[in-house]
Amino acid sequence: MEWNLRRMESELRQINPDLLQPSKSFKKPSSGTITINVGGYLYAAQRQTLAKHPGSLLEEMVTGKKPVVHVDSMGNTFIDRDGPIFRHVLNFLRMGELVLPDDFKEAELLRREADFYRLSELAQALQDWEQQQATQHEPAFLEVTDSHERSQGLRVYCSDSTFIEKVKNRLVQISKSRLDGFPEEFEVSSNIIQFRHFIKSEQGSRLVLKEDSTFVCTLECLKLEAVMLALKGGFRLLTSLDSSRGSVVQCEALHFVK
């Protein structure tokens, strides 16, 4: 039997006119959203997100300043660039900041994509992220020195200021049953604490451990606290000056690294 295609098409239209129309899933998105194909990966975003940085390639494309040259089979704008890395570009546009996984290894590729899309803000954010990563991986040095003189006292230096904060958080000045926090007079900088003396102008003032206000700190116990915090924090002892006294705590100088 020979099929009459025109007759079949006419009958189908009468039954359901939508059967011969393009699939509804291929409809173009609303004016507020747009779908783009980056290297075979589809990304949907609001137009205002893609146009957030005036002068960028994406802003010119979604605003019509730059005509679309390539489209995929579904009619989406096609950009012949790395698809997976584009998610970091899009997330930067969405959040206004660069958030990358700790084990991110494609900084150079992302930098090239930032240049391609003309996103100078992303390039700067990536540079800041790289500097931060480099700082985190630099070795931290700790030096604890004790001159055994009241005028000099105990000096704690660490290239990692977070360790200094840990030492400060262990101690508190107390006077007449009032907690005054860590004495500012001992803070030389964010990297140095210099314990020269413990008695301030107010009589009866003393430095104690935060957990035990009855334990009055001496230079020796402060040094012990610093050493214990260092070892617990992953520091390892490099050198010690004058260790013949039989105790690490009694050494005049201790040097650690992490």
Tab-separated table of all heavy atoms in Angstrom, residues 70-98:
chain	number	residue	atom	x	y	z
A	70	HIS	N	28.494	32.405	16.171
A	70	HIS	CA	28.319	30.960	16.165
A	70	HIS	C	27.187	30.562	17.115
A	70	HIS	O	27.087	31.089	18.221
A	70	HIS	CB	29.607	30.246	16.581
A	70	HIS	CG	30.778	30.582	15.704
A	70	HIS	ND1	30.903	30.130	14.423
A	70	HIS	CD2	31.880	31.345	15.960
A	70	HIS	CE1	32.039	30.587	13.899
A	70	HIS	NE2	32.646	31.335	14.822
A	71	VAL	N	26.361	29.634	16.671
A	71	VAL	CA	25.315	29.041	17.503
A	71	VAL	C	25.392	27.536	17.378
A	71	VAL	O	25.902	27.005	16.386
A	71	VAL	CB	23.908	29.534	17.093
A	71	VAL	CG1	23.770	31.031	17.320
A	71	VAL	CG2	23.620	29.193	15.640
A	72	ASP	N	24.873	26.829	18.394
A	72	ASP	CA	24.863	25.370	18.319
A	72	ASP	C	23.577	24.903	17.641
A	72	ASP	O	22.781	25.710	17.156
A	72	ASP	CB	25.025	24.753	19.713
A	72	ASP	CG	23.894	25.150	20.666
A	72	ASP	OD1	22.866	25.665	20.186
A	72	ASP	OD2	24.041	24.920	21.883
A	73	SER	N	23.358	23.597	17.606
A	73	SER	CA	22.206	23.034	16.909
A	73	SER	C	20.880	23.430	17.542
A	73	SER	O	19.836	23.315	16.919
A	73	SER	CB	22.319	21.504	16.868
A	73	SER	OG	22.378	20.970	18.181
A	74	MET	N	20.913	23.889	18.799
A	74	MET	CA	19.693	24.293	19.490
A	74	MET	C	19.485	25.800	19.437
A	74	MET	O	18.551	26.328	20.030
A	74	MET	CB	19.737	23.823	20.947
A	74	MET	CG	19.786	22.309	21.100
A	74	MET	SD	20.010	21.797	22.831
A	74	MET	CE	18.513	22.420	23.559
A	75	GLY	N	20.377	26.498	18.768
A	75	GLY	CA	20.238	27.941	18.654
A	75	GLY	C	20.880	28.728	19.766
A	75	GLY	O	20.731	29.947	19.827
A	76	ASN	N	21.615	28.051	20.660
A	76	ASN	CA	22.284	28.747	21.744
A	76	ASN	C	23.587	29.369	21.256
A	76	ASN	O	24.277	28.798	20.403
A	76	ASN	CB	22.597	27.787	22.899
A	76	ASN	CG	21.348	27.164	23.478
A	76	ASN	OD1	20.374	27.859	23.769
A	76	ASN	ND2	21.361	25.852	23.650
A	77	THR	N	23.931	30.494	21.810
A	77	THR	CA	25.212	31.117	21.494
A	77	THR	C	26.342	30.162	21.852
A	77	THR	O	26.381	29.605	22.952
A	77	THR	CB	25.378	32.429	22.281
A	77	THR	OG1	24.334	33.334	21.906
A	77	THR	CG2	26.727	33.070	21.997
A	78	PHE	N	27.260	29.962	20.912
A	78	PHE	CA	28.363	29.021	21.128
A	78	PHE	C	29.676	29.787	21.256
A	78	PHE	O	30.002	30.639	20.414
A	78	PHE	CB	28.467	28.030	19.970
A	78	PHE	CG	29.624	27.072	20.113
A	78	PHE	CD1	29.544	25.993	20.973
A	78	PHE	CD2	30.803	27.278	19.405
A	78	PHE	CE1	30.613	25.117	21.124
A	78	PHE	CE2	31.870	26.401	19.542
A	78	PHE	CZ	31.778	25.323	20.408
A	79	ILE	N	30.416	29.484	22.336
A	79	ILE	CA	31.746	30.076	22.553
A	79	ILE	C	32.752	28.937	22.565
A	79	ILE	O	32.654	28.025	23.397
A	79	ILE	CB	31.803	30.849	23.885
A	79	ILE	CG1	30.710	31.919	23.923
A	79	ILE	CG2	33.171	31.494	24.070
A	79	ILE	CD1	30.644	32.672	25.238
A	80	ASP	N	33.687	28.985	21.684
A	80	ASP	CA	34.653	27.901	21.528
A	80	ASP	C	35.813	28.063	22.521
A	80	ASP	O	36.947	28.366	22.155
A	80	ASP	CB	35.185	27.883	20.093
A	80	ASP	CG	35.965	26.607	19.784
A	80	ASP	OD1	35.858	25.647	20.577
A	80	ASP	OD2	36.672	26.561	18.761
A	81	ARG	N	35.493	27.892	23.801
A	81	ARG	CA	36.485	27.977	24.862
A	81	ARG	C	36.315	26.791	25.810
A	81	ARG	O	35.409	25.971	25.631
A	81	ARG	CB	36.334	29.288	25.651
A	81	ARG	CG	36.483	30.536	24.826
A	81	ARG	CD	37.862	30.696	24.241
A	81	ARG	NE	38.878	30.962	25.267
A	81	ARG	CZ	40.129	31.286	24.993
A	81	ARG	NH1	40.529	31.351	23.725
A	81	ARG	NH2	41.001	31.510	25.956
A	82	ASP	N	37.166	26.717	26.838
A	82	ASP	CA	37.121	25.609	27.789
A	82	ASP	C	35.811	25.639	28.566
A	82	ASP	O	35.502	26.632	29.237
A	82	ASP	CB	38.307	25.697	28.746
A	82	ASP	CG	38.438	24.460	29.623
A	82	ASP	OD1	37.716	24.389	30.633
A	82	ASP	OD2	39.232	23.570	29.286
A	83	GLY	N	35.051	24.549	28.473
A	83	GLY	CA	33.744	24.484	29.106
A	83	GLY	C	33.784	24.368	30.620
A	83	GLY	O	33.144	25.163	31.329
A	84	PRO	N	34.513	23.397	31.175
A	84	PRO	CA	34.512	23.216	32.641
A	84	PRO	C	35.027	24.436	33.403
A	84	PRO	O	34.504	24.771	34.463
A	84	PRO	CB	35.426	22.001	32.844
A	84	PRO	CG	35.326	21.241	31.557
A	84	PRO	CD	35.198	22.280	30.489
A	85	ILE	N	36.053	25.110	32.877
A	85	ILE	CA	36.632	26.239	33.615
A	85	ILE	C	35.694	27.433	33.646
A	85	ILE	O	35.812	28.307	34.510
A	85	ILE	CB	37.986	26.639	32.977
A	85	ILE	CG1	38.873	27.379	34.000
A	85	ILE	CG2	37.782	27.508	31.754
A	85	ILE	CD1	39.449	26.494	35.050
A	86	PHE	N	34.719	27.450	32.736
A	86	PHE	CA	33.807	28.599	32.664
A	86	PHE	C	32.938	28.696	33.910
A	86	PHE	O	32.432	29.788	34.224
A	86	PHE	CB	32.920	28.505	31.424
A	86	PHE	CG	32.040	29.713	31.221
A	86	PHE	CD1	32.574	30.904	30.759
A	86	PHE	CD2	30.682	29.656	31.505
A	86	PHE	CE1	31.772	32.026	30.587
A	86	PHE	CE2	29.864	30.773	31.332
A	86	PHE	CZ	30.426	31.958	30.870
A	87	ARG	N	32.762	27.610	34.650
A	87	ARG	CA	31.932	27.677	35.856
A	87	ARG	C	32.549	28.617	36.882
A	87	ARG	O	31.827	29.282	37.631
A	87	ARG	CB	31.735	26.283	36.449
A	87	ARG	CG	32.919	25.692	37.189
A	87	ARG	CD	32.592	24.287	37.662
A	87	ARG	NE	33.662	23.694	38.453
A	87	ARG	CZ	33.711	23.718	39.782
A	87	ARG	NH1	32.746	24.313	40.447
A	87	ARG	NH2	34.700	23.160	40.432
A	88	HIS	N	33.882	28.718	36.907
A	88	HIS	CA	34.530	29.645	37.831
A	88	HIS	C	34.333	31.086	37.373
A	88	HIS	O	34.206	31.989	38.199
A	88	HIS	CB	36.013	29.315	37.947
A	88	HIS	CG	36.295	27.934	38.459
A	88	HIS	ND1	35.873	27.511	39.704
A	88	HIS	CD2	36.932	26.868	37.885
A	88	HIS	CE1	36.253	26.250	39.889
A	88	HIS	NE2	36.878	25.844	38.805
A	89	VAL	N	34.308	31.287	36.052
A	89	VAL	CA	34.036	32.617	35.514
A	89	VAL	C	32.613	33.039	35.883
A	89	VAL	O	32.376	34.148	36.363
A	89	VAL	CB	34.220	32.633	33.979
A	89	VAL	CG1	33.860	33.998	33.413
A	89	VAL	CG2	35.646	32.252	33.598
A	90	LEU	N	31.666	32.132	35.680
A	90	LEU	CA	30.267	32.435	35.951
A	90	LEU	C	30.019	32.637	37.442
A	90	LEU	O	29.274	33.537	37.846
A	90	LEU	CB	29.385	31.318	35.404
A	90	LEU	CG	27.872	31.546	35.481
A	90	LEU	CD1	27.477	32.844	34.799
A	90	LEU	CD2	27.133	30.371	34.844
A	91	ASN	N	30.633	31.816	38.276
A	91	ASN	CA	30.472	31.988	39.725
A	91	ASN	C	31.037	33.321	40.192
A	91	ASN	O	30.496	33.947	41.109
A	91	ASN	CB	31.151	30.840	40.477
A	91	ASN	CG	30.322	29.568	40.449
A	91	ASN	OD1	29.102	29.626	40.322
A	91	ASN	ND2	30.969	28.427	40.559
A	92	PHE	N	32.117	33.762	39.573
A	92	PHE	CA	32.682	35.071	39.919
A	92	PHE	C	31.695	36.182	39.576
A	92	PHE	O	31.513	37.134	40.338
A	92	PHE	CB	33.994	35.294	39.176
A	92	PHE	CG	34.574	36.668	39.379
A	92	PHE	CD1	35.226	36.998	40.550
A	92	PHE	CD2	34.452	37.636	38.391
A	92	PHE	CE1	35.739	38.270	40.753
A	92	PHE	CE2	34.958	38.912	38.578
A	92	PHE	CZ	35.609	39.227	39.763
A	93	LEU	N	31.043	36.053	38.427
A	93	LEU	CA	30.056	37.053	38.032
A	93	LEU	C	28.858	37.029	38.974
A	93	LEU	O	28.291	38.075	39.301
A	93	LEU	CB	29.603	36.798	36.592
A	93	LEU	CG	30.668	36.974	35.504
A	93	LEU	CD1	30.100	36.600	34.142
A	93	LEU	CD2	31.198	38.393	35.491
A	94	ARG	N	28.479	35.854	39.426
A	94	ARG	CA	27.309	35.731	40.300
A	94	ARG	C	27.578	36.264	41.703
A	94	ARG	O	26.756	36.971	42.285
A	94	ARG	CB	26.881	34.272	40.381
A	94	ARG	CG	26.187	33.750	39.128
A	94	ARG	CD	26.058	32.245	39.170
A	94	ARG	NE	25.213	31.739	38.088
A	94	ARG	CZ	25.210	30.470	37.674
A	94	ARG	NH1	25.998	29.585	38.275
A	94	ARG	NH2	24.420	30.099	36.683
A	95	MET	N	28.729	35.923	42.268
A	95	MET	CA	29.002	36.226	43.672
A	95	MET	C	29.813	37.499	43.879
A	95	MET	O	29.859	38.043	44.975
A	95	MET	CB	29.726	35.050	44.333
A	95	MET	CG	28.925	33.761	44.346
A	95	MET	SD	29.768	32.406	45.216
A	95	MET	CE	31.131	32.091	44.086
A	96	GLY	N	30.503	37.937	42.827
A	96	GLY	CA	31.337	39.116	42.977
A	96	GLY	C	32.659	38.840	43.654
A	96	GLY	O	33.410	39.763	43.987
A	97	GLU	N	32.982	37.586	43.863
A	97	GLU	CA	34.254	37.191	44.456
A	97	GLU	C	34.685	35.853	43.880
A	97	GLU	O	33.867	35.091	43.369
A	97	GLU	CB	34.151	37.115	45.975
A	97	GLU	CG	33.140	36.083	46.470
A	97	GLU	CD	33.100	35.999	47.978
A	97	GLU	OE1	34.140	36.274	48.611
A	97	GLU	OE2	32.048	35.637	48.535
A	98	LEU	N	35.981	35.596	43.961
A	98	LEU	CA	36.528	34.360	43.405
A	98	LEU	C	36.657	33.319	44.503
A	98	LEU	O	37.396	33.507	45.465
A	98	LEU	CB	37.894	34.628	42.764
A	98	LEU	CG	38.570	33.433	42.080
A	98	LEU	CD1	37.703	32.910	40.933
A	98	LEU	CD2	39.945	33.815	41.579
